[in-house]
Amino acid sequence: MTAYKDLSKEELLQIKSGLEAEYERFKSAGMKLDMSRGKPSTEQLNLSMGMMDVLNSGSDLVCKEGVDCRNYGVLDGIEEAKKLFADMMEVPSDNIIIFGNSSLNVMFDTVARSMTHGVMGSTPWCKLDKVKFLCPVPGYDRHFAITEYFGIEMINIPMTPDGPDMDLVEHYVNNDPAVKGIWCVPKYSNPQGITYSYETVHRFAKLKPAAEDFRIYWDNAYGIHHLYEDKQDYLLEIFQACKAEGNPHMVYKFASTSKISFPGSGISVIAASHSNLNDIRKQMRIQTIGHDKLNQLRHARYFKNIHGMVEHMKLHADIIRPKFDAVLTALDSELSGLEIGSWIAPRGGYFISFDAMEGCAKAIVAKAKEAGLSMTNAGATFPYGKDPRDSNIRIAPTYPTLDELKEAVKLFIICVKLVSIDKILETKE
Amino acid sequence: MTAYKDLSKEELLQIKSGLEAEYERFKSAGMKLDMSRGKPSTEQLNLSMGMMDVLNSGSDLVCKEGVDCRNYGVLDGIEEAKKLFADMMEVPSDNIIIFGNSSLNVMFDTVARSMTHGVMGSTPWCKLDKVKFLCPVPGYDRHFAITEYFGIEMINIPMTPDGPDMDLVEHYVNNDPAVKGIWCVPKYSNPQGITYSYETVHRFAKLKPAAEDFRIYWDNAYGIHHLYEDKQDYLLEIFQACKAEGNPHMVYKFASTSKISFPGSGISVIAASHSNLNDIRKQMRIQTIGHDKLNQLRHARYFKNIHGMVEHMKLHADIIRPKFDAVLTALDSELSGLEIGSWIAPRGGYFISFDAMEGCAKAIVAKAKEAGLSMTNAGATFPYGKDPRDSNIRIAPTYPTLDELKEAVKLFIICVKLVSIDKILETKE
């Protein structure tokens, strides 16, 4: 196919006219589809329905510690759940704390605690003139929302195919004591599906932070969320790597079962060094008497062990793989060679990241919306919602049915083409 | 019975010798009982076992909003749960937000948010030189722990049989802009079981706070936790009272089902004005995607409505009433007239508050502990764990079996007598 930029004005106008007719057909068909968030589909939720029967009125509800899970007690998680999630997070059981249903909540509280009480004895951030976080971009909007909420200055770090630009990360972390953290989704990243390379993780582990209270906020949200059995990404385990490099306290690892069991009723976990966990417990025992242990027991008994969880994830993959394939196939066949967009085929996670021509993302998303397709706001994948190139669009293929998705992608591609043609036409006038 | 203080040294020594023999018998019997916290007993937990069967793999898990409760969505609580808890809290449905399993967590977060972001636009407390809270005493140790954790200065306000000393409350709140809050357990208070009188609540509603961000932290933890059907306390509903007095934003009401369904897996709620709730939602939508909706649905379907909840509470009362009666009967028959302690017979709640002779509480609790009975630490019912009179002891009768409890109270009474005799003997030397 010829790149659009190499077509004449007349050729472009002719293509545009055909696309506009197609667009109008979509618009009049009255599609109404929300593809804005990374939500599991109903079919995926149904995979975990057995969990609703694991505990019933005939169940023994006493956990391994001998505590009745219905009652108060056990601040930081029951033993059987710790074992399961420790295996999932590739750390020892005594390096994790279990929380409620939302790892976002755990990350928020981690930053909030640092604001009011500092990190392992450091000055509370609210007493400092300036606190900064590094934000690999494109990234997860809800991470950026937390740091924005607390008035933390965010610095964009471009992503490479191997993870964040580590030259920049080292430059900032090792020299600026105001840099207190970096948001990372290290595996099947949100939205690009990139897994940090061994070298990237090693360079993280070898950082020499100017700030003693610098931490890596390692949100391994998609750690076992592979799409293919035969091609999977591997991520170096950072907790051990940091320890080996003499930085045992430098990382907080976060994870949850939101996209394993139920998004609304899962379990979230933090993994960190004992000193970090003790620091967290100091707050935790003031904040709560304990999180929902019945739900911990429910998860532990349902999955039994990490193998049960891995098998379960294969069933998820079977449902979402065709959806990713449908999007990628359509992008390949419709856009390859046109030079109006690029994308990465991920091996796991929940998103496909699309980079439109500079200055086109907002217009594409608006055009899709006008015809009934809600996508993640353009810009959302950048701090402050500002994509400096107005280029990145996050595609979330999991929630719609395969048929809906195919229609949605058709519409999306029409929008990409239309907006790109207008952009190119500007330069030809 | 003759008051101990009116007995001669010899008479006291004779009594003491008998008590010491009894104490040694207890000690050698090897009792091991934890009466330190207000925990429901296993028998009480069993009352809610039907809740484990309400939702199963055959259930329709869609809430009234049409949202699948398993998935993401619905930030501030599903409609059917809001209805149930609004009735429980005596406010309209749209004046409540539903959270996770712990109202303590909600209170903590409320103070934490005020520290970093202020209240409805006011200066964040962490930017102020001094923030103060009023603490009716004796009160709930976990309240005081939150304010202590955030470095908030706590001011003791003595409790009267009608609630906190309102002259003092008015004095502080209406004159000192550093006073930002007051912790209240207004019904069947922890630990005294006192219910604030109509006049007290009216005086609360009529406060004219010097600080615009002053709030009443109204922890109605025992709102429907009556002991008797025929004698119940009535509490004026403060949210409406504040509104009527032109102070619509002055109160946060907190409650939970921790002592209705399961302490570890209940539902917590806040009730407040729309402006307050909007202020809270601003944080909430950064902090989480939403709390556990399946557990909300489970509670709503199990209790059906407030009447179901009220009937359920009668079953709780049937279990704990004999326990309260056993403690009160023993105190009455063994201590009346000795003038070595006083207590209040509550009509609900989870505690009996015992006031020993000044300077005796710590010694009594230590003596009980030595013989295997763990009680709440003396002093715990005061800010900073410091009871200025070293007098108040919290008795938590719900968790032990009736037989265990009877033994525990016998031991407690022996300890009270022994320590009191020693105290009186000091004055007779």
Side-chain angles (χ1 to χ4, degrees), chain B residues 81 84-85 87-89 224 256-257 260-261 299-300 302-316:
Chain B
L84 174 66
F85 295 120
D87 286 348
M88 181 180 97
M89 297 183 82
I224 58 173
S256 81
T257 67
I260 298 173
S261 58
H299 277 74
Y302 181 65
F303 290 115
K304 294 189 178 71
N305 52 45
I306 184 62
H307 307 297
M309 213 178 241
V310 166
E311 288 305 311
H312 184 80
M313 292 313 290
K314 289 182 187 168
L315 304 176
H316 276 287

Side-chain angles (χ1 to χ4, degrees), chain A residues 72, chain B residues 38-40 222 225 256-261 263 313 316 350:
Chain A
Y72 291 117
Chain B
K39 279 170 74 168
Y222 310 106
H225 302 56
S256 81
T257 67
S258 292
K259 288 171 184 105
I260 298 173
S261 58
M313 292 313 290
H316 276 287
Y350 261 63

Side-chain angles (χ1 to χ4, degrees), chain B residues 388-407:
Chain B
R389 299 185 65 245
D390 184 25
S391 164
N392 189 251
I393 298 173
R394 186 176 81 164
I395 300 173
T398 55
Y399 189 70
T401 65
L402 190 55
D403 287 343
E404 287 171 335
L405 183 67
K406 283 178 177 167
E407 286 302 289

Side-chain angles (χ1 to χ4, degrees), chain A residues 264-299:
Chain A
S265 305
I267 301 285
S268 63
V269 197
I270 198 169
S273 72
H274 293 153
S275 300
N276 275 313
L277 295 190
N278 286 337
D279 195 44
I280 293 169
R281 283 192 198 96
K282 269 188 213 161
Q283 172 209 353
M284 200 175 176
R285 69 170 58 93
I286 307 292
Q287 187 181 30
T288 183
I289 307 177
H291 293 286
D292 186 339
K293 294 185 296 298
L294 285 178
N295 206 29
Q296 294 174 24
L297 193 66
R298 192 177 280 123
H299 278 73

Side-chain angles (χ1 to χ4, degrees), chain B residues 233-251:
Chain B
D233 289 351
Y234 294 93
L235 176 70
L236 187 63
E237 198 290 295
I238 193 167
F239 175 67
Q240 189 54 44
C242 284
K243 212 167 169 177
E245 295 296 342
N247 280 320
H249 311 308
M250 197 170 59
V251 64

